[in-house]
Amino acid sequence: MAFMKKYLLPILVLFLAYYYSTKEEFRPEMLQGKKVIVTGASKGIGREMAYHLSEMGAHLVLTARSEEGLQKVVSRCLELGAASAQYIAGTMEDMTFAEQFVLKAGKLMGGLDMLILNHITYTPMGFFHDDIHALRKAMEVNFISYVVMSVAALPMLKQNNGSIVVVSSMAGKMSHPLVAPYSASKFALDGFFSSIRKEYGVTKVNVSITLCVLGLINTETALKATSGVFSAQASPKEECALEIIKGAALRKDEVYYDSWSWTPILLANPGRKIMEFLSIKNFVFDKLVSS
Ligand code: NAP
Ligand code: 4JX
């Protein structure tokens, strides 16, 4: 007890004081004039992010498959004050489209500050039996295309000390029944992007990676898919979109957004963080090529 009072408490107080004094506050001006890509922007959370970013004065290039949907969103973005807003329609099942889209978007804006990866393939809820096709599609669209786009964007993001924002889910941190292929693709995002975040740290690449862990959100798709299958409060998509943008602008590693306030505490997994901190010391990077 005496030891606690003498050493641990003062260390804790100093740590908290340092943590809060260095914590930067979000300001909407942080996004003003920034060049941002949003995928899956024709509806749902992607559309709401495009609207917030427009109000903050960002340049936008949006994508999804529905040209009609994107046209409407772009018009509204311009009304809301976007510095510029354009779209390129296509499917993220096609990896050539995914790569070319990023390069074209970069050319349209003359660079890139933030890549927001948000699209998913449509996944109805149900028991998994043998639908390998659906599993492969979920992995391709929800995971592989994210990696393809990040690879294509990295040179531009490095130039601007930019950010990659990966929209994931609580189903990418814990197990839920009835969403196995979706859940697998979201866990893959955590494994891959958390791993390359460590690599960027080692190789001094100043590109932040923000993984967004969302609970159930009241988008049309989610409400339809969960109707009669899952009964719990869905959080508002507008606030969700804003929290993602705030976390991304502050270059946070992870953003948690859910109706239950205990979710971040229970899912943040301090055990994993301690293990990662301890294990990094065992790696030798000297002989590896970093670029
Ligand atoms: P949503 O409303 O269904 O929107 C999905 C977007 O992806 C749409 O713009 C859709 O447009 C696009 N899309 C679908 N298939 C595509 C394809 N093959 N190629 C390219 N784009 C495609 O989804 P949401 O509910 O907003 O979810 C957005 C993100 O939040 C996802 O990453 C999801 O995992 C995550 N999340 C959502 C919830 C939730 O409860 N809503 C919970 C946790 C996490 P088109 O159909 O025009 O292509
Ligand atoms: C049912 C449920 C319950 C998610 C996060 C989640 C997605 C899945 C399943 C949403 C869009 C969809 C269709 C909780 N969470 C979730 N789902 N937390 O990411 N759900 C539905 C709803 C794919 O396309 C707590």
Side-chain angles (χ1 to χ4, degrees):
M1 199 61 197
F3 172 81
M4 275 267 290
K5 266 196 187 150
K6 202 169 172 189
Y7 297 107
L8 274 185
L9 277 178
I11 288 171
L12 190 68
V13 169
L14 276 176
F15 175 79
L16 287 174
Y18 174 78
Y19 179 75
Y20 283 103
S21 66
T22 56
K23 223 170 130 183
E24 204 185 352
E25 290 273 313
F26 171 78
R27 288 168 289 107
E29 305 85 74
M30 286 172 162
L31 273 305
Q32 195 168 13
K34 295 290 180 206
K35 296 161 180 169
V36 185
I37 284 177
V38 185
T39 74
S42 65
K43 56 185 175 178
I45 300 164
R47 178 169 63 188
E48 298 306 324
M49 287 194 282
Y51 291 164
H52 284 304
L53 289 162
S54 298
E55 286 170 342
M56 294 168 194
H59 292 276
L60 295 174
V61 179
L62 312 178
T63 188
R65 290 165 307 169
S66 156
E67 188 145 5
E68 203 190 329
L70 287 169
Q71 243 160 23
K72 283 186 194 152
V73 178
V74 159
S75 303
R76 184 73 189 126
C77 286
L78 292 169
E79 283 170 13
L80 289 171
S84 69
Q86 301 170 81
Y87 72 84
I88 302 172
T91 178
M92 292 298 169
E93 288 167 63
D94 176 358
M95 298 306 143
T96 309
F97 171 77
E99 185 195 10
Q100 291 304 311
F101 162 72
V102 171
L103 301 179
K104 281 182 196 161
K107 277 212 181 97
L108 284 173
M109 294 188 285
L112 185 65
D113 294 293
M114 191 178 280
L115 173 67
I116 305 185
L117 300 165
N118 166 75
H119 63 276
I120 45 164
T121 188
Y122 177 65
T123 347
M125 292 180 71
F127 289 104
F128 184 79
H129 297 295
D130 56 1
D131 196 349
I132 304 299
H133 177 72
L135 175 68
R136 190 164 278 133
K137 192 165 169 183
M139 295 306 288
E140 289 272 335
V141 176
N142 302 358
F143 170 54
I144 308 274
S145 77
Y146 280 38
V147 177
V148 169
M149 295 177 80
S150 304
V151 169
L154 193 61
M156 292 187 281
L157 292 173
K158 274 183 182 173
Q159 277 197 342
N160 295 357
N161 294 333
S163 309
I164 300 173
V165 182
V166 178
V167 179
S168 188
S169 164
M170 276 166 64
K173 286 280 186 187
M174 60 180 280
S175 59
H176 293 293
L178 309 181
V179 289
Y182 172 80
S183 187
S185 70
K186 292 300 192 185
F187 267 85
L189 290 173
D190 188 3
F192 183 85
F193 283 98
S194 300
S195 182
I196 61 164
R197 189 194 292 114
K198 288 268 174 337
E199 294 180 12
Y200 289 2
V202 170
T203 55
K204 309 269 181 277
V205 171
N206 193 7
V207 172
S208 63
I209 298 180
T210 302
L211 183 79
C212 307
V213 182
L214 312 180
L216 191 65
I217 311 299
N218 68 357
T219 63
E220 253 180 65
T221 310
L223 294 181
K224 249 186 227 164
T226 54
S227 160
V229 189
F230 184 78
S231 60
Q233 184 76 21
S235 309
K237 55 183 183 291
E238 299 80 2
E239 188 182 56
C240 172
L242 187 58
E243 289 307 309
I244 294 174
I245 292 166
K246 282 183 185 175
L250 296 173
R251 303 175 82 81
K252 286 188 177 171
D253 286 354
E254 294 191 336
V255 168
Y256 287 84
Y257 181 76
D258 185 43
S259 56
W260 195 40
S261 52
W262 280 81
T263 299
I265 297 158
L266 294 175
L267 284 185
N269 200 347
R272 167 175 156 171
K273 289 202 182 82
I274 292 167
M275 290 290 286
E276 286 174 356
F277 176 77
L278 295 175
S279 83
I280 197 91
K281 293 186 175 64
N282 300 327
F283 286 89
V284 182
F285 299 104
D286 300 356
K287 288 187 189 137
L288 299 167
V289 182
S290 66
S291 55

